[in-house]
Amino acid sequence: KDSLNNEFRSPQRHITIPPTLLISALGFVSDVRQCVTADLKEPGNLLYLIGDTREELGASQLAIVLGWSGGQVPQVNRRQAPNILRALHRAIVDRLVRACHDVSDGGLAVAIAEMAFAGMVGAELDQLSTIPAKSDLVRLFSESPTRFVVEIRPESALAFERIFENQSAGKWAQRRFEDLRK
C-alpha cells in the first residue's frame, strides 16, 4: 500500500503528512504456542546478542536526540542476514528461545529496556565490553540491522550455541533479575 496522500482534517486544523510508503507482511502460524515474545521471562537465564554491531550511528535515534549529522547509516549485510534469520528460526522451532527482540531504533540499550519493561523485571549486563565495538556508545546505541537479543535458559545454551557456531552470536551477559513488581 502506498500512502502517498495522508491528510487529517478537523474543524480546528488540517494536517498533511509527507508521502509514506507502507509495506505490510502477514504470516500464518500453525501453532501459536511456538510464538516467541519480547518480554524477559525467568531469573538466571542468559542473554545473547546475535549479529554484528558496527559503528552505524548515522540517522540513529541517538543522533536525532543529540542533534548529530553525518555518520554511517545502518546497512543490511545481505549475505549474513539470511543465515542469521534461518539460524534464529531453527532455535525458535527447537524451543530454545524464551524471548527475542530485534535491535533497531535506539540500539541495544532500548531493546534491553523494552524487554525488561515488558517482563516487569530488571536486567544486569555484566559483559558489555565483550561486544566487539570501539566504544560503549556504539555498543549501546548502534542501529546495525539483523541483530537480535535472545533469552535462553542455561540448560539450552549449548544447543543454541551449536546452531549459531558459524554466526556472529556471542554470549555477552548473564542476566540477574530484580522483581520490579514489589
Side-chain angles (χ1 to χ4, degrees):
K1 174 184 185 311
D2 59 72
S3 301
L4 299 176
N5 186 16
N6 291 308
E7 295 185 28
F8 171 78
R9 294 177 194 262
S10 73
Q12 296 82 15
R13 59 200 259 200
H14 176 236
I15 301 172
T16 302
I17 70 165
T20 305
L21 177 63
L22 171 66
I23 300 172
S24 299
L26 295 173
F28 293 99
V29 177
S30 59
D31 184 352
V32 72
R33 293 170 296 180
Q34 290 187 334
C35 292
V36 174
T37 59
D39 52 304
L40 296 178
K41 305 289 189 297
E42 298 174 303
N45 284 349
L46 304 172
L47 291 180
Y48 287 77
L49 175 62
I50 300 168
D52 292 333
T53 301
R54 296 180 299 276
E55 192 166 340
E56 295 179 323
L57 297 170
S60 68
Q61 293 300 309
L62 179 68
I64 292 167
V65 167
L66 296 177
W68 294 349
S69 63
Q72 178 66 42
V73 296
Q75 301 289 317
V76 173
N77 180 326
R78 294 187 317 220
R79 281 178 260 193
Q80 183 187 49
N83 297 326
I84 288 175
L85 295 171
R86 275 192 287 275
L88 181 57
H89 182 258
R90 174 84 265 145
I92 290 171
V93 167
D94 289 351
R95 298 183 185 258
L96 302 174
V97 177
R98 299 290 295 141
C100 181
H101 194 312
D102 67 307
V103 179
S104 56
D105 288 351
L108 178 62
V110 170
I112 294 290
E114 289 174 349
M115 292 176 85
F117 290 146
M120 296 293 292
V121 295
E124 181 179 315
L125 309 177
D126 58 3
Q127 298 178 35
L128 191 63
S129 64
T130 63
I131 298 171
K134 79 175 203 176
S135 71
D136 283 344
L137 195 71
V138 172
R139 288 180 186 97
L140 289 170
F141 299 105
S142 171
E143 295 183 2
S144 299
T146 322
R147 291 185 306 150
F148 300 89
V149 176
V150 180
E151 177 186 7
I152 304 293
R153 288 184 172 133
E155 61 269 19
S156 300
L158 188 58
F160 179 79
E161 290 172 8
R162 281 190 189 130
I163 290 172
F164 279 92
E165 64 190 351
N166 295 322
Q167 304 295 326
S168 298
K171 180 173 68 176
W172 61 270
Q174 192 159 355
R175 186 159 45 79
R176 297 183 191 99
F177 281 3
E178 302 164 19
D179 191 332
L180 300 180
R181 291 171 282 194
K182 292 181 183 175

